[in-house]
Amino acid sequence: MRENKSKQPHAKQSLRVWIRMLRATTLIEKRIRSYLKGEFDSTLPRFDVLAALSREQAWVTMSELTAHLLVSNGNVTGLVNRLVEDGLIARQVDPEDRRSQLVMLSPAGRAAFRDMAAAHEGLVDSFFAQLSDEEMAALLTLTEKLNQTLHRQDDTA
């Protein structure tokens, strides 16, 4: 039986693009992990927690932090405990709900993250150095279009 090409207009190309995107993402993530470990003795999950808290100016609950990170509460709790021990995060009991804990970056955490974020931005920028401004704009447009398509598919599922 012949394949109905109208249902899959560019299936082979889609697979090739997906594999290339996956390879690029995997390589970038591996290099970021290595860089954070070598330069800051940090991990990518620690960086992600600090990044999420850096966007907040007030205390946030552990549940709010977990929602920003899309990981389990158990994983975040261990990371937060170590970041508190390292003096990068402050933690207190929620005065309105004594069962909840609130967290925020400490001044030392804000300063440390500022340094890490600047270095991280430079590193990521170096990955795309061979692309022109026009190519970067096209890549942004195309990845945004892909993300919108994926979100629409999630909404209808």
Side-chain angles (χ1 to χ4, degrees):
M1 184 171 196
R2 292 178 67 181
E3 206 177 283
N4 183 347
K5 292 193 183 251
S6 65
K7 288 186 179 179
Q8 297 178 348
H10 43 251
K12 294 290 185 202
Q13 274 187 310
S14 297
L15 289 172
R16 281 189 213 107
V17 168
W18 162 239
I19 297 291
R20 287 182 185 172
M21 288 173 61
L22 183 60
R23 273 193 197 128
T25 302
T26 301
L27 278 170
I28 289 170
E29 184 176 330
K30 183 178 177 181
R31 289 180 185 173
I32 289 171
R33 286 178 185 277
S34 176
Y35 183 80
L36 289 173
K37 186 67 178 163
E39 294 297 316
F40 298 100
D41 194 28
S42 186
T43 64
L44 188 53
R46 282 173 61 100
F47 180 84
D48 288 343
V49 168
L50 295 173
L53 289 175
S54 75
R55 293 186 285 275
E56 303 293 336
Q57 297 304 316
W59 294 94
V60 296
T61 65
M62 290 290 288
S63 297
E64 291 168 329
L65 177 59
T66 300
H68 288 300
L69 298 171
L70 303 173
V71 297
S72 74
N73 201 15
N75 292 342
V76 174
T77 300
L79 283 167
V80 166
N81 287 344
R82 288 186 293 282
L83 289 164
V84 168
E85 288 171 12
D86 294 343
L88 301 176
I89 291 180
R91 177 175 45 199
Q92 70 178 23
V93 173
D94 185 344
E96 295 177 16
D97 180 359
R98 309 243 357 122
R99 296 168 298 166
S100 289
Q101 301 223 347
L102 301 172
V103 292
M104 81 177 341
L105 280 182
S106 67
R110 205 161 285 284
F113 179 73
R114 204 172 18 252
D115 293 342
M116 290 173 72
H120 174 265
E121 183 178 316
L123 177 66
V124 171
D125 190 47
S126 75
F127 300 149
F128 295 93
Q130 297 299 310
L131 299 179
S132 69
D133 290 345
E134 293 79 19
E135 289 168 327
M136 286 294 288
L139 189 54
L140 280 169
T141 298
L142 293 170
T143 53
E144 181 56 31
K145 186 174 183 178
L146 177 60
N147 282 328
Q148 288 173 359
T149 299
L150 294 170
H151 284 298
R152 277 195 302 273
Q153 289 172 348
D154 282 348
D155 292 343
T156 60

